[in-house]
Amino acid sequence: MRKLIVTEFISVDGIAEVEKLPSVTWNDEMNRFKEDELADSGAMLLGRATYEIFAGSWPKETGDFAGRFNALPKYVASTSLKALEWKPAELLKDSLPEAVRALKQGTGGNIYVHGSLSVAQELLRHGLVDRVRLLSYPGAVGQGKPLFPVGEPISLELVSAKPFNNGVVALEYAPVAAKS
C-alpha cells in the first residue's frame, strides 16, 4: 500500500506560507532532503492553487531533478479546474478522502502532498496522512496560514530530526492514528 506524505516548508510557529519564512541559504543538506523525497515519490497530490503555481514554473525548469519532478503523475483536488496542462495529471472525481483512499490502494510509490494546505488539513482530519515531513525554518512568523488545522489537536510521533548547518531542521512525524 502506498503512503501519503505531506511535505512542507514551515516556521517554528507552524506557519506554512513560503513567502513569509525567514531567509536562509539553500544548501546541500536541503537538496539531499528534497532529492530523497523525489526518489521516494510515485505521485503528487496537489490542490488547485499549488497545481497552478507549479504548472506555471516547473515545466520551464531544466536538469535531472526538474525532469523527474515534472514526469511524476499529478492528482489534483479541484472543483473549478476543467483541464490540466501540466501532464501527466488527473483531476480527482470523488470526494478528497474517497479519492485518496483509492489512490493509496494503488501501486507506484508514495504520494506526496506539496504545499496545498487545505488539502493537507483535510487529509489530516480524516486520518489519511502517514507521514509529515517538514523543513522547519529558524524563526517565528507570528501570523499566516498554519499547516495544522486550528483548534484540532493532532498527535504526532517523531520519526526523525536532523538539524542543518543553515539553521533549518528536517523533521519527520507519523500521525499517531496513521502509524503503520
Side-chain angles (χ1 to χ4, degrees), residues 86-97:
W86 185 34
K87 306 282 185 190
E90 176 183 324
L91 280 168
L92 297 178
K93 297 186 185 354
D94 295 327
S95 73
L96 183 60

Side-chain angles (χ1 to χ4, degrees), residues 11 32 34 72 120 160 167:
S11 63
R32 269 191 301 283
K34 286 306 198 183
L72 282 174
S160 66

Side-chain angles (χ1 to χ4, degrees), residues 1-179:
M1 186 158 94
R2 300 164 104 176
K3 288 185 178 172
L4 187 114
I5 300 162
V6 170
T7 181
E8 300 287 344
F9 299 102
I10 195 167
S11 63
V12 296
D13 58 346
I15 303 303
E17 289 183 74
V18 173
E19 60 278 0
K20 292 185 177 184
L21 294 175
S23 180
V24 298
T25 301
W26 192 269
N27 66 15
D28 289 341
E29 294 164 307
M30 293 172 78
N31 273 339
R32 269 191 301 283
F33 182 87
K34 286 306 198 183
E35 283 283 348
D36 290 347
E37 283 186 346
L38 183 57
D40 185 55
S41 292
M44 285 185 250
L45 172 59
L46 305 169
R48 180 203 47 82
T50 302
Y51 173 82
E52 288 178 330
I53 291 166
F54 281 16
S57 63
W58 275 104
K60 299 171 194 155
E61 296 294 323
T62 59
D64 179 60
F65 185 95
R68 291 182 291 143
F69 194 77
N70 283 318
L72 282 174
K74 297 148 207 54
Y75 299 101
V76 183
S78 173
T79 56
S80 60
L81 288 176
K82 301 301 178 219
L84 302 173
E85 301 296 319
W86 185 34
K87 306 282 185 190
E90 176 183 324
L91 280 168
L92 297 178
K93 297 186 185 354
D94 295 327
S95 73
L96 183 60
E98 287 175 22
V100 168
R101 282 184 192 98
L103 288 173
K104 288 178 72 170
Q105 294 301 317
T107 59
N110 293 325
I111 304 162
Y112 276 76
V113 177
H114 298 269
S116 307
L117 294 177
S118 61
V119 169
Q121 289 177 353
E122 185 171 350
L123 296 173
L124 283 161
R125 276 187 205 102
H126 286 277
L128 292 168
V129 175
D130 298 291
R131 291 285 190 271
V132 177
R133 295 189 80 202
L134 306 172
L135 285 178
S136 179
Y137 279 58
V141 177
Q143 63 181 3
K145 294 178 186 170
L147 167 59
F148 298 102
V150 176
E152 299 179 35
I154 296 172
S155 295
L156 301 171
E157 180 179 281
L158 183 65
V159 174
S160 66
K162 182 177 184 331
F164 296 161
N165 63 17
N166 63 357
V168 170
V169 179
L171 300 162
E172 184 169 346
Y173 292 98
V176 172
K179 274 201 241 178

